């Protein structure tokens, strides 16, 4: 049985540790994303700095929103250390349950996997909310996102964003989501 509560707790610790490590080197981080693989076998963190964003685009240019909010275009990536350990036990659980998670003929995910996926997403949501509370005093303006590449639709992404960011930031994110998702 997967320990979703431990997973949530481990994510909060990993996000805080990684952010604090990054800010020692970069003083202008404006956004951090928790990025999960669709098959629930790995997770990582991605962040961007204002300096890097300014090198990629200008606010007056049409592609600015893409560079501002598209995780694939960001500067900082973390998949080592404690986050690597979390990915390891995520992967181990999926491997151990492959027979009940995936149809052997079609290789499509089965309902049991979808239930696991939903619980993982809920744990990530709780972790992001807890992380927001942990960093609110030190990083009140840091934007937080959650991504599962090619899985979450616009509505789901904007709901996650609104859960842990201000109304103004959420309005901007929602207004421009078609540019980056």
């Amino acid at each position: 049985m997967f320990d979703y509560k431990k997973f949530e707790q481990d994510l909060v610790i990993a996000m805080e540790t990684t952010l604090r490590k990054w800010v020692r080197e970069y003083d202008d981080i404006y956004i951090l994303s928790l990025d999960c693989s669709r098959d629930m076998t790995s997770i990582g963190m991605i962040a961007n700095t204002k300096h890097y964003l300014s090198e990629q685009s200008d606010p007056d240019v049409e592609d600015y929103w893409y560079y501002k909010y598209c995780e694939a275009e960001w500067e900082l990536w973390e998949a080592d250390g404690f986050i690597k350990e979390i990915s390891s036990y995520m992967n181990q659980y999926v491997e151990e349950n492959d027979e009940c998670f995936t149809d052997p003929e079609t290789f499509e995910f089965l309902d049991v996997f979808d239930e696991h996926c939903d619980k993982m997403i809920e744990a990530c949501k709780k972790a992001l909310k807890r992380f927001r509370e942990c960093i609110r005093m030190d990083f009140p303006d840091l934007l937080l996102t959650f991504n599962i590449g090619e899985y979450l639709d616009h509505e789901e992404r904007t709901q996650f964003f609104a859960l842990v960011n201000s109304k103004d930031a959420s309005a901007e994110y929602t207004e421009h989501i078609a540019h980056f998702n």
Side-chain angles (χ1 to χ4, degrees):
M1 188 67 164
F2 193 84
D3 189 341
Y4 300 98
K5 192 68 182 162
K6 176 185 178 346
F7 175 66
E8 174 190 332
Q9 179 63 27
D10 288 350
L11 288 177
V12 173
I13 293 167
M15 286 187 286
E16 185 169 9
T17 302
T18 301
L19 175 62
R20 293 200 184 278
K21 178 182 84 173
W22 280 340
V23 297
R24 286 192 298 269
E25 188 172 346
Y26 304 92
D27 64 355
D28 64 339
I29 295 173
Y30 71 90
I31 194 163
L32 182 140
S33 181
L34 189 57
D35 190 69
C36 190
S37 65
R38 168 61 181 116
D39 61 2
M40 299 294 133
T41 60
S42 66
I43 197 156
M45 286 172 282
I46 309 169
N48 205 14
T49 64
K50 292 175 184 176
H51 176 78
Y52 191 77
L53 173 61
S54 71
E55 289 178 346
Q56 306 308 307
S57 188
D58 186 299
D60 300 327
V61 179
E62 185 177 325
D63 66 359
Y64 176 76
W65 304 107
Y66 172 76
Y67 287 102
K68 182 172 183 176
Y69 290 118
C70 181
E71 289 91 343
E73 299 299 332
W74 295 352
E75 180 177 19
L76 307 172
W77 296 71
E78 178 66 80
D80 291 325
F82 189 41
I83 201 76
K84 186 175 183 177
E85 291 177 34
I86 298 169
S87 292
S88 179
Y89 72 70
M90 289 171 67
N91 185 56
Q92 180 180 350
Y93 184 76
V94 170
E95 284 180 357
E96 290 170 355
N97 292 280
D98 187 52
E99 291 179 11
C100 63
F101 280 172
T102 310
D103 183 304
E105 292 179 20
T106 65
F107 302 104
E108 292 182 10
F109 293 125
L110 300 172
D111 291 343
V112 175
F113 175 81
D114 290 338
E115 291 172 18
H116 171 64
C117 180
D118 290 345
K119 290 177 183 177
M120 295 291 283
I121 291 171
E122 187 61 29
C124 289
K125 183 187 299 185
K126 289 177 182 178
L128 279 168
K129 288 171 68 175
R130 288 179 52 203
F131 178 61
R132 165 58 71 208
E133 292 309 311
C134 289
I135 65 163
R136 187 175 302 282
M137 293 294 287
D138 294 337
F139 308 100
D141 298 324
L142 181 71
L143 300 173
L144 302 175
T145 67
F146 177 65
N147 184 44
I148 301 176
E150 300 179 17
Y151 180 68
L152 297 176
D153 63 22
H154 290 186
E155 184 178 338
E156 291 166 314
R157 285 183 61 107
T158 57
Q159 287 173 353
F160 272 104
F161 195 89
L163 186 68
V164 291
N165 296 289
S166 72
K167 287 182 182 182
D168 289 342
S170 296
E172 178 183 274
Y173 187 86
T174 300
E175 178 183 349
H176 298 287
I177 195 164
H179 292 98
F180 61 89
N181 187 26

